Amino acid sequence: MTEEASLRFERYQLTDDIDHRLEPKRDRDRLMFSYAVQRLGGVCQVASVVDGHVFHNRLTHTLEMAQLGRRLAERLLDLAPASLDLKVHLDPDIVEASCLAHDTGHPPFGHEGESALNACMEVGPQVDGFEGNAQAFRIVNAIEPYRPNLIGLNLTRATLKALTKYPRYSATGEKKYSWYSTEAPVVEWMYGGDFQMRTIEADIMDLADDIAYAAHDLMDFTRAKVIPLYSLLNSRDSMDYVYAQFLKARTRHAKRLDPISLGELMRSVIELNHEYDGSRMQKAQLRQSSSNIIKYFRDEMGVASDDKGFPQIVFSDDARSQLAFFKFLTEFFAQEYDQILSQRMGYNKIVRTIHFAVSESLANGRPAPVPRGEIDTFSKLSEVMGVDQASKRSASDFVCSLTDLQAVSIYQRIEGISSATFLRYSDG
């Protein structure tokens, strides 16, 4: 192993483990069998089950994204010229590991839960808010149980960098960031005090996330008849209307796109012969369409050297804008769907209620709504920050250990709603 590779695959906590697997494979396997990844099977992606429709949850999205990230990495390794020596900077197992870890910081109920927790943290100049990416970094480094004598999963430097989508702290004032101040020692070790731009492995992880979201969630909501995909493909008025909304929401991307050529692209990758009716043929057409979208954006990717000789992904501005539009379709139509809107209102209330109950009990020494043993980050946090902020951060950690159904159950207990009472009211 070269000196550069040994630094990439070094771990923050030194151990005497002896294993036949290479370090990147060990990272991938640790994450695959982690509680944090397993929990994602009970966390919704965009919407929970609506009218009996099956949507991707966080786990199915994560597994498909991880497979896609690995394939994109393998393709770039095949495409790269020998002079680039891409293998020194890119390992498919590291990409897959970062993909598996990327959503572990999401609380119950997806982005609605994330917004609720950020509001609960009372963000200020010296106070970290809540951000899913930063929470994922915190989970793998400080929370996930793996070995009795270790803290977190003790991942390699390469995987932690690949997980760093936004290489900055919350104190920068940006909406998106990858680290809380609580993980500063790991971050300093990771970069050696010299912060860099994100790695090519992080770039692949990010693109795999976007492509999987664009392809799979678009098909989910078409099957649920939330997105009128056939009308968009065949009605210029429908396309013009949605494009106008895209222009308002994504001005930077929309300026690069022509709605006519965008419509032609959609018709070239989406196969749908009439309004979706749930037939086996149309399910197969949507499955083919999902595959076509992935292949299209995969083929738009390349690799080259930047001005410092480091490898970087080549992905045109037009392709990024097209991908942004495919993602926007789901965002736009899902937010227009009344049942999802009403769900989100409830999601926000559940998360806020649990966070307040847990943080108040910790800060004031009162009985918690759950066994104290399940809230195990408070004592350590209170040693390095005030009790108030330690209780809020620990409450956020706890909420991010729950599935959607666990959160509903705890909320009902806090509010005094027993299952029997709930059934009586629901029966009228």
Side-chain angles (χ1 to χ4, degrees):
M1 183 181 292
T2 65
E3 181 178 357
E4 185 170 359
S6 66
L7 289 174
R8 262 172 55 80
F9 302 142
E10 188 177 49
R11 301 180 188 277
Y12 184 59
Q13 301 172 76
L14 300 180
T15 67
D16 296 326
D17 287 355
I18 298 175
D19 198 288
H20 68 281
R21 295 166 296 172
L22 297 175
E23 299 300 332
K25 296 184 184 299
R26 297 177 71 185
D27 279 6
R28 182 262 179 204
D29 294 350
R30 287 182 189 188
L31 282 155
M32 178 60 76
F33 292 97
S34 67
Y35 294 111
V37 170
Q38 292 171 20
R39 178 188 72 94
L40 298 179
V43 180
C44 69
Q45 168 79 352
V46 177
S48 189
V49 176
V50 177
D51 294 335
H53 297 291
V54 178
F55 293 91
H56 280 77
N57 58 41
R58 285 283 167 193
L59 181 60
T60 54
H61 164 73
T62 293
L63 294 176
E64 292 173 5
M65 173 200 162
Q67 185 267 352
L68 176 58
R70 169 175 280 278
R71 296 293 177 256
L72 293 177
E74 291 170 346
R75 178 175 172 78
L76 291 179
L77 286 169
D78 289 340
L79 291 175
S83 59
L84 192 55
D85 199 14
L86 188 57
K87 289 184 178 181
V88 174
H89 304 277
L90 175 57
D91 187 296
D93 281 302
I94 293 294
V95 173
E96 186 175 0
S98 66
C99 290
L100 289 171
H102 89 288
D103 263 355
T104 55
H106 274 288
F109 316 122
H111 291 294
E112 193 62 35
E114 189 174 3
S115 298
L117 286 181
N118 190 53
C120 289
M121 291 302 297
E122 299 179 2
V123 185
Q126 303 298 321
V127 179
D128 292 329
F130 180 89
E131 213 283 335
N133 294 283
Q135 187 68 25
F137 193 87
R138 175 165 168 73
I139 284 171
V140 301
N141 283 290
I143 297 176
E144 175 66 20
Y146 171 63
R147 292 288 186 270
N149 61 335
L150 290 176
I151 299 174
L153 289 174
N154 198 27
L155 302 174
T156 63
R157 181 183 274 111
T159 295
L160 294 178
K161 284 187 176 182
L163 180 58
T164 299
K165 189 174 176 180
Y166 306 102
R168 52 182 176 258
Y169 288 102
S170 61
T172 60
E174 298 285 346
K175 183 178 180 181
K176 294 289 186 180
Y177 50 91
S178 285
W179 317 309
Y180 299 132
S181 57
T182 47
E183 280 62 66
V186 179
V187 176
E188 293 295 329
W189 163 83
M190 186 169 70
Y191 287 103
D194 182 19
F195 286 13
Q196 305 159 2
M197 297 298 290
R198 68 184 190 182
T199 65
I200 188 172
E201 291 160 331
D203 285 338
I204 296 172
M205 179 271 289
D206 191 17
L207 273 176
D209 191 16
D210 284 348
I211 295 171
Y213 179 82
H216 301 141
D217 288 2
L218 179 61
M219 301 310 153
D220 278 356
F221 283 93
T222 298
R223 288 198 307 273
K225 299 182 180 179
V226 176
I227 300 177
L229 196 52
Y230 182 78
S231 295
L232 286 173
L233 296 174
N234 295 279
S235 167
R236 178 65 188 275
D237 289 343
S238 295
M239 176 60 83
D240 285 349
Y241 172 72
V242 175
Y243 180 80
Q245 304 307 310
F246 178 66
L247 183 61
K248 293 177 183 177
R250 304 283 191 278
T251 303
R252 178 170 62 89
H253 287 295
K255 287 180 179 178
R256 300 195 184 102
L257 295 177
D258 168 50
I260 295 177
S261 62
L262 187 59
E264 292 174 350
L265 169 61
M266 290 184 65
R267 285 186 289 274
S268 72
V269 295
I270 297 174
E271 302 181 16
L272 204 59
N273 54 7
H274 53 75
E275 290 289 355
Y276 184 74
D277 61 9
S279 67
R280 179 189 176 282
M281 176 58 71
Q282 286 208 312
K283 287 178 180 177
Q285 287 177 337
L286 288 183
R287 183 63 191 86
Q288 181 65 59
S289 300
S290 177
S291 179
N292 291 344
I293 292 171
I294 291 171
K295 289 176 181 176
Y296 173 78
F297 289 112
R298 176 202 68 188
D299 292 343
E300 289 293 305
M301 292 177 62
V303 62
S305 295
D306 63 15
D307 54 3
K308 295 182 179 179
F310 290 104
Q312 63 179 3
I313 290 178
V314 176
F315 197 65
S316 70
D317 288 342
D318 286 347
R320 290 186 186 277
S321 297
Q322 291 163 351
L323 183 55
F325 182 79
F326 275 92
K327 289 179 60 182
F328 176 78
L329 289 175
T330 297
E331 296 170 12
F332 175 69
F333 284 102
Q335 74 181 2
E336 296 279 302
Y337 192 43
D338 290 342
Q339 191 157 348
I340 292 176
L341 283 175
S342 61
Q343 280 185 335
R344 287 176 173 172
M345 292 172 62
Y347 295 162
N348 194 290
K349 183 178 181 181
I350 290 171
V351 170
R352 284 173 177 260
T353 299
I354 296 173
H355 187 278
F356 178 79
V358 172
S359 61
E360 283 291 294
S361 71
L362 290 172
N364 297 296
R366 292 199 294 264
V370 292
R372 285 285 177 126
E374 296 183 24
I375 313 170
D376 56 6
T377 59
F378 175 69
S379 59
K380 185 173 182 179
L381 287 171
S382 60
E383 295 174 1
V384 295
M385 60 177 65
V387 169
D388 182 61
Q389 284 305 310
S391 64
K392 287 183 171 63
R393 176 61 61 204
S394 189
S396 292
D397 291 342
F398 172 71
V399 171
C400 288
S401 73
L402 303 174
T403 65
D404 293 358
L405 287 178
Q406 286 174 326
V408 170
S409 177
I410 293 172
Y411 169 78
Q412 289 178 341
R413 191 159 70 245
I414 292 171
E415 293 292 292
I417 306 171
S418 70
S419 58
T421 303
F422 182 77
L423 286 173
R424 281 203 302 275
Y425 281 121
S426 65
D427 288 340

